[in-house]
């Protein structure tokens, strides 16, 4: 059999990045076909972490209500040497971060993917085709043509106006468009072991790294009721020796984890690498997630970076499809995301170089350097929060290119996180009055046409700043009004409420000329 389909966007790869992108596009009315080569979801854990920004992306995708069952907050992340001395400590004890969610969240990926897939299936304009492997991709200039095949359902031909490769580190799409793949020179083999303890055990902190040259080891949550250990392969060990069930249990025994008190859910040897695609776009084909970038797991940002790609790309594809933005807006996807992803890769590699030391003398030199620095910093190291690279935001604005906060607001009797109350999309907000009052009728109509809203957010406004978080942000950034993009990035700010029209005009110019 041969089937022909058409869609606004074809997504190759149905993991977290592809499913999130499909949902965000479907919510904007776009038709989406997802091609996933595996006939069933992968049932075992892989990624275990997402941060506050990604939690907000998941909230915008409509799955926030399901997160409680398979996630837990992990506010502190420590790095200790063999003697238990702190080399690094990230995080702090607080309820929520900038995005209205815990800064660090540990999760069970199969349940996260299941929640995303259920959400995607709830849209009539999303079709997830499992068991179909993409085999041919051709960009015809006005559309992308894909050919795929399923052992069960035969051949499929798909025509889409845009295509996105979310198909992992060995991406078919990346190869099909001839995008290079640069190895950034970091490679270490680690045995990853996922465990379900039979009894509740308390780990303090929940997540930490043992920087012991005798056996560098990662100890983190795998979501509620689960734990993950990662053991680095030492120079004298072979891959075959490490990738062995007996080896896994032998290494776990040192942590009082045995077959009689735990279930070993999975063990696998991974080579932790750092790589980046040389280009993220060719014509009507784009790359996202691990197809565009790969990083070691020490910062917990691999899946997060793919989710950020999806959030950045979804609204740009939508506006391009609607004719509200120039084709060049899609170039800003790479110009913004690639430098951000590279900084995240470099940060992850830097952390990896702290732990991946198997030489005792080198480890001692590291400890002598890092322990005093950690103490001088009060045993708290701030996590980096890189801005986007140049693109669709005001590069002359100190606040632009970074994240705009989300906090609790109240409207009438409804109190909740701002995105749930106000909606998602472009947002023009001010603590000094309604920005709509400073716009012309034509400016208001245009902003509404691209899904934009205006709001006066203050403790005495219709949209009440429940905890004063917005007042503090505007004061800290010395501005009176801010324009937020749909991916929660600050487009621009201004000193006066009366500058609202100038911000809207600047956005319109950027969308047409970027």
């Amino acid at each position: 059999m041969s089937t022909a389909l058409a869609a606004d966007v074809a997504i190759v790869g149905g993991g977290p990045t592809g499913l999130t992108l499909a949902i965000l596009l479907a919510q904007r009315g776009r038709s989406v076909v997802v091609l996933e080569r595996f006939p069933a979801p992968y049932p075992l854990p892989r990624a275990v972490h997402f941060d506050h920004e990604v939690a907000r992306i998941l909230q915008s995708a409509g799955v926030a209500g399901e997160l409680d069952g398979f996630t837990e907050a992990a506010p502190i992340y420590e790095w200790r040497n063999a003697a238990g001395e702190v080399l690094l400590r990230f995080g702090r004890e607080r309820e929520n971060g900038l995005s209205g969610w815990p800064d660090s969240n540990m999760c069970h990926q199969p349940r996260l993917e299941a929640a995303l897939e259920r959400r995607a299936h709830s849209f009539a304009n999303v079709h997830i085709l499992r068991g179909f492997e993409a085999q041919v991709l051709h960009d015809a200039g006005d559309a992308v043509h894909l050919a795929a095949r399923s052992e069960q359902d035969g051949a499929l031909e798909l025509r889409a106006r845009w295509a996105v490769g979310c198909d992992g580190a060995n991406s078919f799409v990346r190869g099909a468009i001839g995008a290079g793949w640069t190895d950034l020179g970091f490679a270490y083999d680690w045995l990853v072991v996922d465990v379900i303890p039979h009894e509740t055990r308390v780990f303090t902190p929940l997540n930490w790294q043992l920087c012991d040259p005798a056996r560098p080891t990662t100890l983190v949550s795998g979501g509620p009721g689960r734990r993950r250990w990662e053991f680095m392969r030492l120079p004298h060990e072979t891959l075959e020796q490490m990738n062995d069930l007996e080896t896994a249990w032998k290494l776990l025994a040192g942590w009082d984890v045995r077959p009689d008190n735990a279930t070993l859910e999975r063990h696998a040897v991974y080579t932790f690498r750092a790589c980046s695609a040389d280009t993220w776009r060719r014509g009507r084909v784009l790359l996202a997630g691990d197809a565009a970038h790969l990083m070691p797991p020490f910062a917990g940002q691999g899946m997060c970076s793919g989710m950020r790609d999806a959030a950045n790309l979804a609204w740009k594809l939508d506006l391009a499809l609607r004719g509200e933005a120039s084709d060049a807006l899609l170039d800003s996807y790479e110009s913004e995301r690639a430098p951000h992803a590279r900084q995240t890769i470099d940060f992850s590699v830097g952390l990896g170089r702290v732990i991946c030391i198997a030489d005792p003398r080198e480890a001692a030199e590291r400890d002598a350097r890092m322990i005093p620095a950690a103490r001088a910093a009060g045993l708290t190291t701030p996590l980096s929060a890189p801005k986007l690279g140049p693109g669709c935001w005001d590069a002359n604005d100190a606040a632009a290119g970074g994240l705009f906060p989300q906090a609790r607001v109240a409207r009438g009797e409804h109190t909740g996180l701002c995105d749930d109350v106000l909606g998602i999309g472009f947002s023009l907000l001010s603590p000094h009055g309604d920005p709509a009052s400073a716009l012309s009728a034509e400016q208001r109509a245009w902003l509404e046409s691209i899904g934009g809203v205006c709001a006066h957010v203050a403790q005495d406004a219709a949209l009440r700043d429940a905890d004063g978080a917005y007042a503090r942000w505007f004061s800290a950034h010395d501005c009176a009004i801010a324009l937020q993009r749909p991916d929660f990035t600050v487009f621009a700010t201004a000193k006066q409420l009366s500058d609202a029209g100038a911000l809207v005009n600047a956005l319109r110019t950027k969308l047409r000329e970027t």
Side-chain angles (χ1 to χ4, degrees):
M1 293 179 60
S2 181
T3 303
L5 291 174
D8 289 328
V9 180
I11 298 173
V12 181
T17 299
L19 290 172
T20 300
L21 179 59
I23 293 165
L24 297 178
L25 287 166
Q27 290 177 160
R28 292 170 167 83
R30 297 292 139 211
S31 59
V32 182
V33 172
V34 179
L35 300 177
E36 171 52 57
R37 66 191 181 98
F38 291 107
Y42 189 70
L44 299 176
R46 286 174 291 178
V48 293
H49 174 265
F50 62 87
D51 60 24
H52 63 94
E53 181 185 358
V54 170
R56 190 178 180 187
I57 293 170
L58 293 170
Q59 176 193 350
S60 74
V63 299
E66 298 192 50
L67 297 182
D68 281 348
F70 56 85
T71 65
E72 60 182 338
I76 304 299
Y77 184 26
E78 279 190 0
W79 297 60
R80 303 173 184 169
N81 69 358
E85 298 168 292
V86 175
L87 305 177
L88 288 167
R89 178 183 290 149
F90 297 106
R92 55 181 171 149
E93 296 284 357
R94 62 176 179 175
E95 185 174 350
N96 288 319
L98 180 68
S99 301
W101 289 85
D103 291 311
S104 183
N105 305 270
M106 309 309 293
C107 72
H108 185 232
Q109 183 176 337
R111 291 187 63 182
L112 174 60
E113 287 194 26
L116 289 168
E117 189 154 343
R118 282 192 297 272
R119 176 64 172 158
H121 278 302
S122 72
F123 295 96
N125 50 336
V126 174
H127 297 279
I128 300 174
L129 304 179
R130 285 197 165 275
F132 279 91
E133 184 166 5
Q135 296 180 327
V136 179
L137 182 150
H138 171 62
D139 184 348
D142 61 342
V144 180
H145 298 270
L146 280 156
R149 176 169 288 279
S150 162
E151 290 186 7
Q152 179 177 343
D153 299 310
L156 170 72
E157 295 182 2
L158 173 60
R159 182 184 186 276
R161 295 174 66 184
W162 295 90
V164 185
C166 303
D167 50 341
N170 298 314
S171 171
F172 157 78
V173 175
R174 189 179 65 239
I177 65 173
W181 186 239
T182 297
D183 190 317
L184 300 174
F186 182 94
Y188 289 88
D189 300 320
W190 285 68
L191 172 64
V192 178
V193 184
D194 288 291
V195 169
I196 303 175
H198 295 165
E199 297 179 355
T200 301
R201 289 178 60 180
V202 176
F203 293 86
T204 304
L206 194 63
N207 294 343
W208 65 287
Q209 301 280 349
L210 173 59
C211 303
D212 181 354
R215 177 70 70 184
T217 303
T218 298
L219 304 94
V220 296
S221 165
R226 287 181 158 84
R227 291 295 295 176
R228 169 171 291 178
W229 275 264
E230 297 172 355
F231 304 100
M232 193 180 89
R233 182 178 68 84
L234 300 176
H236 66 274
E237 296 171 323
T238 67
L239 286 173
E240 291 73 20
Q241 288 172 326
M242 288 297 287
N243 197 15
D244 179 77
L245 180 61
E246 184 177 343
T247 298
W249 281 120
K250 180 180 178 181
L251 292 170
L252 288 170
W255 301 94
D256 193 28
V257 178
R258 308 177 308 274
D260 65 320
N261 67 12
T263 298
L264 198 158
E265 191 174 21
R266 181 190 73 139
H267 70 93
V269 172
Y270 284 87
T271 301
F272 294 163
R273 306 188 70 88
C275 304
S276 181
D278 296 339
T279 183
W280 292 27
R281 179 190 177 192
R282 284 273 167 81
R284 290 184 170 269
V285 184
L286 304 108
L287 302 174
D290 286 356
H293 43 73
L294 199 63
M295 63 194 73
F298 305 111
Q301 287 295 311
M303 182 175 71
C304 293
S305 295
M307 297 283 208
R308 290 188 181 94
D309 295 343
N312 186 291
L313 188 53
W315 66 270
K316 293 176 179 178
L317 281 171
D318 175 53
L319 291 182
L321 285 161
R322 287 205 268 161
E324 293 284 358
S326 72
D327 175 77
L329 179 65
L330 274 301
D331 287 330
S332 76
Y333 163 64
E334 179 178 352
S335 70
E336 290 179 351
R337 286 292 308 133
H340 189 285
R342 180 57 188 267
Q343 289 184 67
T344 306
I345 292 170
D346 290 346
F347 178 60
S348 301
V349 168
L351 291 178
R353 297 203 188 285
V354 172
I355 191 174
C356 295
I357 295 176
D359 179 77
R361 187 171 70 175
E362 186 180 351
E365 293 172 351
R366 172 202 63 199
D367 296 352
R369 181 178 68 254
M370 295 188 67
I371 291 170
R375 290 173 179 165
L379 296 181
T380 300
T381 303
L383 281 167
S384 62
K387 283 190 174 187
L388 296 178
C392 189
W393 53 279
D394 185 353
N396 297 314
D397 188 324
L403 284 177
F404 190 71
Q406 177 183 221
R408 291 192 321 127
V409 296
R411 175 180 279 169
E413 296 183 355
H414 182 196
T415 299
L417 290 172
C418 189
D419 294 348
D420 292 335
V421 177
L422 192 61
I424 57 173
F426 289 98
S427 301
L428 195 58
L429 298 103
S430 173
H432 301 297
D434 185 358
S437 66
L439 300 179
S440 69
E442 190 275 336
Q443 288 170 329
R444 288 197 301 271
W446 178 80
L447 187 61
E448 291 172 2
S449 75
I450 61 168
V453 298
C454 296
H456 175 203
V457 55
Q459 292 195 327
D460 59 350
L463 188 66
R464 185 165 62 84
D465 185 3
D467 303 312
Y470 290 102
R472 290 190 293 274
W473 187 90
F474 279 98
S475 175
H477 290 83
D478 190 26
C479 60
I481 189 168
L483 180 53
Q484 174 190 244
R485 303 186 337 183
D487 56 1
F488 323 126
T489 298
V490 179
F491 172 78
T493 64
K495 299 289 187 182
Q496 304 291 332
L497 179 63
S498 58
D499 291 325
L503 293 185
V504 170
N505 289 341
L507 174 63
R508 183 157 24 182
T509 298
K510 277 285 190 180
L511 294 181
R512 291 174 175 174
E513 296 180 359
T514 297

